[in-house]
Amino acid sequence: MSTAQLPNGAGDYGISAVHDEHHGKYEAPVQILYFTHHSTKYYWNDMIQNFEFYIGLEDVKDYRRLFFGENEIAVRVPSVFKLLIKEVLNPFYIFQLFSVILWSAEDYYYYATAIVFMSVISIATSLYTIKKQYVMLHDMVATHSVVRVSVCRRNKEIEQAMSTDLVPGDVIIIPANGMVMPCDAVLIHGTCIVNESMLTGESVPVTKTSLPSSGEDAAWTYSTEEHKRHTLFCGTHVIQTRFYAGELVEAVVVRTGFSTEKGQLVRSILHPKPTDFKLYRDAYLFLLCLVGVAGIGFIYTIVLSIIKKVPAKTIIIESLDIITITVPPALPAAMTAGIVYAQRRLKRVGIFCISPQRINMCGQLNLVCFDKTGTLTEDGLDLWGVQTVEDGSFSPPEADAAEDSLVNSAFVACMATCHSLTKIEGELSGDPLDLKMFSATGWILEEPTEEETTLHNPIMPTVVRPPKQSIPEANQNNPLTQNMELNQLPSCEIGIVRQFPFSSTLQRMSVVVRRLGEKHMDAYLKGAPEVVASLCKQHTVPQSFTETLETYTKQGFRVIALAHRQLESKLSWHKVQSLSRDLLETNMEFLGLIIMQNKIKEETASVLRELRQANIRTLMVTGDNMLTAISVARDCGMIRAHERVIIAEAAPPKDFHPASITWHYTENPVQTKDNQSVEMNLEDGVYARQEQSYHFAVTGRAFAVITEHFPQLLQKLALRATVFARMAPDQKTQLVEVLQSIDYTVGMCGDGANDCGALKRAHCGISLSELEASVASPFTSSTANISCVPNLIREGRAALITSFCVFKFMALYSIIQYLSVTLLYSILSNLGDFQFLFIDIAIILIIAFTMSLNPAWKELVWRRPPSSLISGPLLFSVLTQIITCLLFQVLGFLLVRQQSWYETWTPQSDACNASRSGLSHGLNVTSPHDHKNIKNYENTTLFYVSSFQYLAVAIIFSKGKPFRQPSYRNWPFMLSCIALYTFLLFIMLYPVRAIDNFLEIVCVPHDWRITLVIIVIVNAAVSFILEEANQHWASSFLSWLFCQTNKPPRCSTCTWPWSCRTTQTGPPDPPLSPTPAIHNPASLPPSDTNKQTTAQTEDTITA
């Protein structure tokens, strides 16, 4: 916690200026309490009696320098020493250090050295990776973080300053040749063309205009969302500027440091939200179980050693050693291997990952949201045709907008001027839709040069004109115009005076233009047809507007409406610059429709079909028109031909009328009686596993109303809605959160333009943009289509199954070794140093790392892999294998002691060559001949049996189909298993003295070796049969045992107990009656809840 004192006055005061005078009056210092967390300062607010954080200029005007500090996104690259300390203090490495000290005390130097060697490599690799990531992030941030800027002070003087000294409220000058923004600033004078790809992923430069009301005071009412189109964001590249003669392009700093958009992105990378995945939570629980088992062995060892009067030092060492055996030190490295291999395979197919831990999450995806434009459909739009309005009705559609008859029309003038195109290095650049629309006119765009701007008093506008000043055909045939000079004809050259850029919130853009020679200006508007029609005089909108629009949108066309308004002649050019957008965009005259064709990508339909067959739900989340989105959903197979669509529309409270929701089918006309309704049952019912026969489609407006006024319906609606249209970027993020709240594992696939928030919030965000915005998405595909989605899910499933296999194998390895050591402790023996080394290095590490190499299966199957380690089938599998290994180890341990040749082993013992008849049974107890008592018949027997058990469980747990390729195609794993089996069988059946001495095993009779082979074979067969039985019948048996009735969940709460859910299915669909419709009894009057309506078209629910 820090305390600072400041003068209680406004202005550019530094922290040290506590005794300055303000307007000739000394102000008493004010005490400010604050602390910093994750690069954000939190200040104590006496009014709310709590801490809050200030973001930018809209929050505070006083004490600016203290509140915001230096304008720097400081990514400190920690020293190697700090990283080393942080890494070594990991509980896992502390446990390893404890193990190494213990093993050294037992003189297990070789194994301790091997573990230290592996740990050093692991730590070094981790340090290198972390350091590299810090350096990369630092370089990305620091490239343009400190620059020299021109600052305009209050006395209008311009001084040079470092960008680190900027604070909210400073006025900076944007140079004509552009710059990389060191802060977030709002334009107050001039216009800028900006490349925002670093933040949005959109490679198309955008035009930023000054605030609607000019002057510095406009910045004090600044709102981030409302003035996004006037804000220059930190890290974005200002390509070029446009300005008034004698006036500079000025911007007011509104955010600095980590409060900027770029700063928040960097902060989310530096301090990411923890990945909450059930597998990782269960892994810790499973390790705790192993610790519990180790505790039992710990107590057993102490009690047994005390009974046998073992020295205290030996008791301490051996009892602690049992803990290091039970918790395998190589577990984290082995589990990471599968993810690393999957990441490499993804890279080979063009999918890059910056968050490898999320690969496992991809294996559990049961719902994927897709953006439409650029994701499901092609980026480019083709102009299908135009349909103008004459005398209040639509003319027949025309394919070519460049016809001579339309050159001088307001419709073509609107197409040629209402856009945000600009020329960069002589090439037209801008939104693809604008480019296609402008090129269809055949007109030419000319921008003023810097010299022209300086010479003229008023702002030099961007000018558009036809390719050549040809006299329209109508004028050529007119005898009144045939003798006129060309310059006396009406001019087609138009200057763009003011531009209101496209707003996704408003769903429209507009421009103010002036035709050469005219005394008045005109306003042109384009946008979503419904929005444009609502801003036009009703008599100018054709009566067939709704039917015509539906006709096009149902066919999948993207429709844009145009409108025009003649402005008063008294409006000067300077007055237009301060004109409010709301005043301008009203009382327009409807001009007509532009019909664009957005083709579906070739891969879209097949990928969606593959996902549907794999029981993965797909949604469309788009900012486009509802009917267009539904049409595309039908064309690509997201909604099939026989399935009906119910559109949910909602209205907020207005004029004492409560909020209401209206439902209607797309197939039926809306001219129905108000009391007709669509019957739907979203409450309890019998859940049959059948495909839904209808889908909901929700608009962004309805989504906002339902979220605020009908929250009880939101989750129910999310269960059956397939199309979300006219969704704002923040609504996409909200939708992802709603879907996650009802236990979906959500994937989001977008082109990076408006999907960054949803891509970051989803469990698996897949960006189809390779630009810097991919930093916001865990996965980035170099292939610009959705074929990457099934590839990612396949690899995710393979990685998830690999994690389960490796975890089960490592758990069995530790338990098998624990059983061997516990049995040997009973005779005061143990495994030898080189036996541990052979098992842990030659068997475990090689097998664990090669069994992770199985590639993903080529098809996506209907069922998904399990998501939890603490599940019935998996625990049943592990427990049956533990019991099997225990029984066969005990069998070998007891049988060897019953052999006729068995005796207390001594260096002189020669059981291999001595005949049974000549041997004396001797004592049936092994007494130690040295302090370790490694060499004995029990040790040799358990070493052979346990070594084969490791290999058997590895092969059994290495699952293949349906999520991974069969193990026989994993040749490193197969070669490792064959080599180890061959080696073990060879040294067991044909002993080699040098190897026996190295591994500290003793020679046993040939008959006993054959017996061990039989035990090993029977052990492997029993383990295999039990695993197969568990795979085929255990799941059904446990489901029957613990969840005999598969009662569907209540949709009103949308909470489903995981214990009653099979691993193959995700969140179940809501129980529905065969007749699709909706009634929410909770929101209807009591008298209406039992009514049965007969018609099937429209229902209004009133809150």
Side-chain angles (χ1 to χ4, degrees):
M1 186 79 69
S2 301
T3 305
Q5 288 187 333
L6 290 167
N8 191 11
D12 289 332
Y13 288 97
I15 295 176
S16 60
V18 293
H19 300 298
D20 288 359
E21 294 186 7
H22 183 55
H23 297 295
K25 179 182 177 182
Y26 177 78
E27 300 286 347
V30 175
Q31 194 175 63
I32 304 291
L33 296 175
Y34 69 94
F35 68 91
T36 304
H37 175 66
H38 284 180
S39 307
T40 301
K41 284 185 179 178
Y42 294 82
Y43 297 86
W44 179 258
N45 187 327
D46 283 328
M47 293 183 66
I48 64 173
Q49 289 294 298
N50 203 350
F51 284 95
E52 62 178 347
F53 63 93
Y54 296 101
I55 297 175
L57 190 61
E58 66 266 39
D59 290 323
V60 64
K61 302 177 188 176
D62 302 335
Y63 327 129
R64 291 182 288 145
R65 293 197 187 280
L66 172 69
F67 271 70
F68 302 110
E70 283 195 341
N71 172 34
E72 184 181 11
I73 303 174
V75 179
R76 312 291 182 196
V77 180
S79 65
V80 175
F81 179 74
K82 284 184 178 180
L83 287 174
L84 179 64
I85 295 298
K86 186 177 179 180
E87 188 72 15
V88 169
L89 290 179
N90 184 304
F92 169 68
Y93 288 118
I94 293 175
F95 176 73
Q96 277 199 337
L97 179 64
F98 161 75
S99 301
V100 168
I101 294 171
L102 184 64
W103 293 329
S104 300
E106 294 181 277
D107 296 332
Y108 287 170
Y109 296 118
Y110 293 102
Y111 186 53
T113 305
I115 290 297
V116 168
F117 178 73
M118 286 192 298
S119 299
V120 168
I121 292 177
S122 177
I123 291 173
T125 305
S126 179
L127 287 181
Y128 173 76
T129 304
I130 295 171
K131 180 85 172 178
K132 184 179 177 182
Q133 289 175 346
Y134 269 109
V135 170
M136 286 176 62
L137 186 60
H138 176 269
D139 291 345
M140 184 189 84
V141 172
T143 306
H144 306 288
S145 61
V146 181
V147 293
R148 187 167 290 277
V149 293
S150 300
V151 182
C152 184
R153 297 302 182 191
R154 292 189 183 276
N155 55 9
K156 298 300 180 184
E157 289 184 0
I158 297 175
E159 66 177 43
Q160 297 296 311
M162 298 304 295
S163 60
T164 51
D165 296 330
L166 293 175
V167 290
D170 283 345
V171 179
I172 60 173
I173 311 300
I174 311 297
N177 59 349
M179 65 184 295
V180 175
M181 291 300 297
C183 58
D184 286 358
V186 60
L187 274 173
I188 55 173
H189 292 303
T191 305
C192 292
I193 298 164
V194 188
N195 183 347
E196 291 189 327
S197 62
M198 196 282 293
L199 291 178
T200 64
E202 212 170 315
S203 59
V204 177
V206 294
T207 302
K208 301 282 186 172
T209 58
S210 58
L211 279 172
S213 52
S214 61
E216 220 170 302
D217 292 339
W220 301 119
T221 57
Y222 172 77
S223 166
T224 310
E225 287 302 318
E226 187 178 344
H227 299 111
K228 201 170 184 178
R229 281 291 180 174
H230 312 290
T231 304
L232 305 173
F233 293 107
C234 179
T236 59
H237 184 205
V238 178
I239 301 170
Q240 63 186 47
T241 62
R242 299 179 191 167
F243 47 89
Y244 291 93
E247 292 195 31
L248 299 169
V249 178
E250 298 177 347
V252 176
V253 178
V254 291
R255 295 202 195 316
T256 57
F258 280 97
S259 296
T260 62
E261 288 286 323
K262 182 178 179 180
Q264 290 177 28
L265 176 62
V266 173
R267 188 147 52 90
S268 70
I269 298 171
L270 286 173
H271 313 289
K273 185 177 180 180
T275 303
D276 184 21
F277 192 42
K278 198 169 180 63
L279 171 67
Y280 304 130
R281 296 200 307 269
D282 291 349
Y284 287 112
L285 289 175
F286 208 97
L287 284 175
L288 285 176
C289 294
L290 292 180
V291 171
V293 173
I296 296 171
F298 178 80
I299 296 170
Y300 163 80
T301 305
I302 293 176
V303 172
L304 185 68
S305 300
I306 291 173
I307 292 173
K308 296 202 174 185
K309 299 180 180 179
V310 177
K313 179 184 175 183
T314 307
I315 293 176
I316 294 171
I317 290 175
E318 290 189 346
S319 58
L320 292 175
D321 192 35
I322 203 78
I323 297 175
T324 65
I325 290 170
T326 313
V327 181
L331 177 62
M335 286 195 68
T336 306
I339 297 173
V340 172
Y341 297 147
Q343 188 176 6
R344 289 179 181 175
R345 290 194 295 268
L346 285 171
K347 191 174 182 181
R348 284 200 292 268
V349 295
I351 300 174
F352 302 94
C353 174
I354 62 169
S355 181
Q357 295 300 326
R358 288 186 182 252
I359 295 176
N360 274 340
M361 286 189 177
C362 295
Q364 274 297 306
L365 285 184
N366 50 10
L367 183 145
V368 184
C369 301
F370 292 97
D371 182 35
K372 185 181 76 70
T373 307
T375 304
L376 298 175
T377 60
E378 298 286 354
D379 259 328
L381 290 167
D382 297 320
L383 183 70
W384 181 85
V386 297
Q387 193 159 11
T388 58
V389 172
E390 291 182 10
D391 300 326
S393 61
F394 282 115
S395 301
E398 296 186 37
D400 188 6
E403 289 187 4
D404 290 341
S405 59
L406 294 175
V407 167
N408 221 19
S409 67
F411 187 90
V412 170
C414 184
M415 289 180 67
T417 57
C418 198
H419 52 70
S420 56
L421 300 179
T422 185
K423 276 194 173 180
I424 298 174
E425 296 180 357
E427 293 290 327
L428 271 179
S429 179
D431 185 87
L433 187 146
D434 286 346
L435 278 169
K436 188 68 67 173
M437 185 180 71
F438 183 77
S439 62
T441 64
W443 286 38
I444 296 170
L445 182 140
E446 295 176 350
E447 290 186 327
T449 62
E450 188 173 338
E451 293 77 14
E452 289 175 326
T453 309
T454 310
L455 288 172
H456 295 78
N457 229 350
I459 185 171
M460 276 296 292
T462 298
V463 174
V464 294
R465 59 177 177 80
K468 55 184 178 179
Q469 288 285 6
S470 57
I471 304 172
E473 199 174 312
N475 290 335
Q476 288 180 350
N477 299 329
N478 189 342
L480 295 175
T481 61
Q482 285 180 348
N483 297 323
M484 292 174 67
E485 294 293 332
L486 185 63
N487 56 10
Q488 292 177 288
L489 293 171
S491 174
C492 292
E493 193 169 298
I494 304 173
I496 303 171
V497 179
R498 178 85 191 274
Q499 187 183 86
F500 294 97
F502 177 79
S503 166
S504 57
T505 307
L506 300 175
Q507 297 178 7
R508 64 181 185 267
M509 79 162 290
S510 58
V511 291
V512 178
V513 304
R514 187 169 187 174
R515 191 182 290 268
L516 188 63
E518 296 284 354
K519 293 183 180 179
H520 62 82
M521 298 187 192
D522 297 279
Y524 289 110
L525 174 74
K526 78 167 184 187
E530 307 93 328
V531 175
V532 172
S534 67
L535 298 173
C536 291
K537 299 172 185 176
Q538 286 306 306
H539 70 273
T540 66
V541 181
Q543 291 184 350
S544 61
F545 169 77
T546 304
E547 292 78 5
T548 304
L549 179 61
E550 282 189 13
T551 302
Y552 288 125
T553 53
K554 282 182 179 178
Q555 296 177 57
F557 291 113
R558 183 168 181 180
V559 184
I560 299 160
L562 306 182
H564 163 256
R565 177 187 173 188
Q566 182 175 312
L567 301 179
E568 296 82 358
S569 56
K570 64 181 180 181
L571 273 177
S572 67
W573 289 38
H574 283 283
K575 285 182 180 179
V576 167
Q577 302 306 317
S578 58
L579 190 64
S580 166
R581 183 169 189 166
D582 293 334
L583 291 175
L584 181 75
E585 297 173 345
T586 184
N587 291 325
M588 310 289 283
E589 294 180 5
F590 194 81
L591 291 177
L593 303 173
I594 300 175
I595 301 101
M596 312 290 286
Q597 194 173 21
N598 195 193
K599 296 178 181 177
I600 295 173
K601 292 182 179 178
E602 291 181 9
E603 303 82 3
T604 298
S606 59
V607 169
L608 294 179
R609 183 167 58 252
E610 184 179 4
L611 293 177
R612 185 174 65 249
Q613 290 170 351
N615 194 30
I616 296 171
R617 186 179 163 202
T618 55
L619 303 184
M620 183 191 297
V621 188
T622 178
D624 208 344
N625 174 276
M626 169 64 79
L627 294 176
T628 302
I630 293 172
S631 174
V632 171
R634 287 196 182 279
D635 291 344
C636 66
M638 197 175 282
I639 299 173
R640 283 173 284 183
H642 67 277
E643 296 172 334
R644 307 182 77 181
V645 178
I646 300 166
I647 295 178
E649 295 176 344
K654 187 178 181 181
D655 299 333
F656 305 105
H657 293 288
S660 62
I661 310 176
T662 302
W663 319 86
H664 64 86
Y665 285 121
T666 55
E667 293 82 0
N668 291 349
V670 294
Q671 298 93 344
T672 57
K673 296 179 182 178
D674 291 339
N675 62 352
Q676 291 184 332
S677 67
V678 179
E679 284 292 324
M680 271 177 218
N681 178 17
L682 285 183
E683 301 302 319
D684 288 343
V686 178
Y687 172 59
R689 199 177 284 216
Q690 57 185 2
E691 297 186 42
Q692 61 188 41
S693 58
Y694 69 91
H695 302 257
F696 287 129
V698 186
T699 62
R701 182 170 180 253
F703 183 83
V705 172
I706 292 171
T707 302
E708 183 176 356
H709 300 285
F710 301 93
Q712 75 280 4
L713 278 181
L714 190 60
Q715 291 185 341
K716 301 176 186 179
L717 201 58
L719 282 167
R720 296 301 291 267
T722 301
V723 175
F724 292 85
R726 296 295 189 207
M727 295 286 279
D730 60 324
Q731 289 180 322
K732 294 183 180 182
T733 308
Q734 291 174 24
L735 175 63
V736 170
E737 292 172 349
V738 169
L739 293 168
Q740 289 172 335
S741 72
I742 51 178
D743 282 346
Y744 276 114
T745 306
V746 182
M748 176 71 197
C749 182
D751 58 0
N754 298 313
D755 310 311
C756 285
L759 288 170
K760 288 170 66 177
R761 190 68 187 89
H763 291 108
C764 301
I766 312 160
S767 172
L768 301 186
S769 166
E770 290 187 81
L771 299 169
E772 289 178 86
S774 60
V775 175
S777 177
F779 302 95
T780 303
S781 172
S782 59
T783 307
N785 60 63
I786 64 171
S787 61
C788 60
V789 175
N791 287 335
L792 183 58
I793 296 174
R794 274 194 292 269
E795 289 296 345
R797 289 182 174 187
L800 186 57
I801 285 294
T802 298
S803 296
F804 277 102
C805 295
V806 170
F807 197 95
K808 288 166 67 177
F809 170 67
M810 296 300 287
L812 258 295
Y813 142 66
S814 62
I815 294 296
I816 290 170
Q817 197 170 81
Y818 169 82
L819 295 174
S820 302
V821 171
T822 305
L823 287 171
L824 291 173
Y825 274 4
S826 67
I827 58 168
L828 303 182
S829 181
N830 200 349
L831 291 174
D833 192 358
F834 290 103
Q835 288 175 341
F836 275 123
L837 195 66
F838 174 77
I839 290 170
D840 290 316
I841 304 296
I843 297 180
I844 302 305
L845 285 185
I846 291 176
I847 293 298
F849 283 100
T850 56
M851 75 186 297
S852 303
L853 287 169
N854 288 40
W857 184 242
K858 56 189 176 183
E859 295 177 4
L860 277 179
V861 295
W862 184 82
R863 65 192 185 97
R864 289 185 299 278
S867 62
S868 173
L869 281 168
I870 313 299
S871 63
L874 192 142
L875 290 177
F876 193 69
S877 169
V878 172
L879 288 174
T880 52
Q881 295 301 325
I882 289 174
I883 293 169
T884 303
C885 293
L886 172 63
L887 290 176
F888 280 94
Q889 283 201 36
V890 171
L891 176 66
F893 183 80
L894 296 177
L895 272 180
V896 72
R897 296 166 67 90
Q898 301 299 321
Q899 299 304 306
S900 57
W901 47 264
Y902 177 81
E903 65 174 355
T904 302
W905 188 90
T906 64
Q908 292 75 34
S909 298
D910 192 11
C912 294
N913 299 322
S915 63
R916 287 187 184 180
S917 57
L919 280 172
S920 170
H921 285 272
L923 294 173
N924 227 8
V925 178
T926 302
S927 59
H929 63 277
D930 57 27
H931 70 286
K932 286 187 178 180
N933 188 26
I934 301 299
K935 289 189 174 184
N936 53 64
Y937 298 122
E938 294 92 337
N939 170 286
T940 299
T941 299
L942 290 180
F943 172 74
Y944 282 133
V945 172
S946 63
S947 295
F948 281 103
Q949 284 179 339
Y950 298 131
L951 293 175
V953 295
I955 294 171
I956 289 167
F957 286 158
S958 185
K959 304 286 186 184
K961 293 192 297 184
F963 304 115
R964 302 197 306 168
Q965 296 279 1
S967 292
Y968 61 78
R969 293 189 180 179
N970 181 357
W971 61 266
F973 177 69
M974 294 306 297
L975 287 179
S976 302
C977 289
I978 292 170
L980 287 168
Y981 263 118
T982 304
F983 175 77
L984 287 170
L985 285 171
F986 177 76
I987 66 171
M988 188 167 70
L989 296 176
Y990 304 97
V992 179
R993 184 176 294 275
I995 296 175
D996 287 356
N997 290 337
F998 179 79
L999 292 176
E1000 297 181 90
I1001 54 180
V1002 299
C1003 189
V1004 293
H1006 185 73
D1007 291 346
W1008 179 243
R1009 296 175 189 275
I1010 299 299
T1011 305
L1012 285 178
V1013 171
I1014 295 171
I1015 290 174
V1016 165
I1017 292 173
V1018 174
N1019 184 353
V1022 171
S1023 295
F1024 178 78
I1025 292 169
L1026 286 173
E1027 184 64 18
E1028 285 297 307
N1030 175 74
Q1031 188 173 347
H1032 289 92
W1033 300 307
S1035 181
S1036 302
F1037 172 74
L1038 292 171
S1039 297
W1040 173 83
L1041 187 64
F1042 296 107
C1043 194
Q1044 293 185 9
T1045 57
N1046 191 19
K1047 187 178 178 181
R1050 285 184 61 87
C1051 295
S1052 56
T1053 57
C1054 292
T1055 57
W1056 303 297
W1058 283 94
S1059 59
C1060 295
R1061 218 187 285 179
T1062 62
T1063 58
Q1064 291 84 357
T1065 58
D1069 291 334
L1072 297 157
S1073 60
T1075 313
I1078 298 177
H1079 264 315
N1080 181 25
S1083 62
L1084 291 173
S1087 60
D1088 293 339
T1089 56
N1090 297 322
K1091 288 183 180 179
Q1092 292 294 324
T1093 54
T1094 56
Q1096 303 247 334
T1097 42
E1098 193 170 34
D1099 170 39
T1100 302
I1101 297 179
T1102 305

